[in-house]
Amino acid sequence: MTLCQRASFLVILLPLLSSADIPSRVVPKGDATASLTQIQAEEEYQRGVRFAEGNDCPQDYPQAAKYYRAAAEKGLATAQYDLGYLYEQGLGVARDLQQAAAWYRKAALQGHPEAQNNLGVLYATGQGVAHDDAEAVRWYRLAADRGDPEATSNLGSMYLQGRAVTRDFAQAFQLFLKAAEQGYAVAQNNLAIMYANGQSVARDYVWAYAWLDIASQQISTCSELRDRIAKEMKPEEIEQAHDLASRKGSELSQRGSQSK
């Protein structure tokens, strides 16, 4: 399971204060309670992560679900997202797509991009919610605006197919390109197909081969399509595509390392 990036915590040493140094009302009571609840939620969530990933303990999804739920009910978006994922996959809980959608929605409304994308997928496929392409596009767009590559690619697919938006190959191409440059293999595959079919751009087997070669590092079936395209290419074009894939792959790898 792909989990969200975990926040690191910085310990700050503060000077000791006497009672005379403390104002009579430092933090409003409501804010203090909210802060304490947030701290408790984060602690519960981290316990859930520990069991979900098997960090220094046996992997235990039911225990992960227990702690995720405790944190999610306190409003922690990352916990709501991960609990939704457990319901979607049936990990530690009975598979329940309605529950998955409900928890994704709670996180999505707080601006969690992966939850927004996953909620969009459920609307696009009619799982756990009534099928609604317009809602799928809305959530994909919100997540794409936050830089989520999967949502960006999914939005591209909606433009490619003309689902709840006017069919627009140029827009689809740009969205696939953006997600492909972020290292998302599905978008790399889709971009390659557009190059091979000459959709929005002149047909270019060299770029199609190169993107499929890169995508095949994550999706094995892309190599089969790459080899089919190779039959339409001259030897020198295949050599050019190999060189292009090597350079672009190194560029994406370096960019990914810098973003971590």
Side-chain angles (χ1 to χ4, degrees):
M1 158 173 132
T2 302
L3 296 170
C4 313
Q5 261 190 318
R6 313 302 178 197
S8 58
F9 296 89
L10 178 65
V11 177
I12 303 175
L13 298 178
L14 299 174
L16 293 174
L17 301 175
S18 69
S19 58
D21 296 317
I22 303 174
S24 58
R25 193 170 183 273
V26 179
V27 180
K29 185 177 180 181
D31 291 350
T33 302
S35 178
L36 179 59
T37 299
Q38 185 176 10
I39 291 171
Q40 290 174 337
E42 186 62 44
E43 289 175 346
E44 289 164 337
Y45 175 64
Q46 292 300 333
R47 291 191 189 102
V49 171
R50 179 170 174 263
F51 282 110
E53 297 183 347
N55 293 335
D56 302 321
C57 66
Q59 191 175 55
D60 188 333
Y61 284 120
Q63 279 292 94
K66 170 187 170 183
Y67 285 112
Y68 284 164
R69 186 183 305 280
E73 289 174 348
K74 291 181 176 68
L76 189 66
T78 48
Q80 292 167 345
Y81 165 71
D82 281 352
L83 182 58
Y85 184 85
L86 293 187
Y87 271 113
E88 184 179 5
Q89 300 300 318
L91 296 171
V93 292
R95 189 168 189 256
D96 187 330
L97 295 177
Q98 290 184 339
Q99 280 291 315
W103 286 111
Y104 283 153
R105 183 181 300 279
K106 288 179 183 293
L109 289 171
Q110 295 193 64
H112 193 289
E114 290 89 349
Q116 291 171 336
N117 173 71
N118 288 11
L119 185 58
V121 170
L122 293 181
Y123 273 113
T125 56
Q127 299 184 81
V129 292
H131 175 260
D132 190 331
D133 282 345
E135 274 295 281
V137 167
R138 182 170 81 89
W139 289 111
Y140 287 156
R141 198 182 302 280
L142 286 169
D145 288 345
R146 289 177 172 270
D148 186 77
E150 184 175 344
T152 302
S153 179
N154 287 338
L155 184 59
S157 293
M158 302 301 272
Y159 274 104
L160 185 66
Q161 300 169 57
R163 293 174 58 182
V165 291
T166 302
R167 196 177 194 189
D168 189 333
F169 287 158
Q171 183 73 352
F173 181 89
Q174 290 302 319
L175 289 165
F176 288 147
L177 177 60
K178 182 178 180 180
E181 292 282 356
Q182 291 176 275
Y184 186 56
V186 172
Q188 293 167 351
N189 173 83
N190 294 348
L191 185 64
I193 290 173
M194 293 195 77
Y195 269 118
N197 291 334
Q199 294 171 305
S200 179
V201 292
R203 178 171 290 168
D204 190 329
Y205 288 136
V206 171
W207 267 113
Y209 185 107
W211 278 115
L212 286 168
D213 196 54
I214 294 169
S216 68
Q217 303 302 310
Q218 298 180 61
I219 304 175
S220 59
T221 54
C222 288
S223 60
E224 299 173 12
L225 182 55
R226 177 201 61 196
D227 294 343
R228 283 169 53 193
I229 288 175
K231 295 178 181 178
E232 307 296 326
M233 302 169 67
K234 299 175 182 178
E236 58 268 26
E237 289 177 325
I238 295 176
E239 184 177 352
Q240 181 185 357
H242 274 298
D243 180 62
L244 193 59
S246 178
R247 287 188 284 112
K248 175 58 74 172
S250 296
E251 176 189 324
L252 296 182
S253 179
Q254 182 178 7
R255 190 181 303 162
S257 298
Q258 291 173 346
S259 65
K260 291 180 180 179

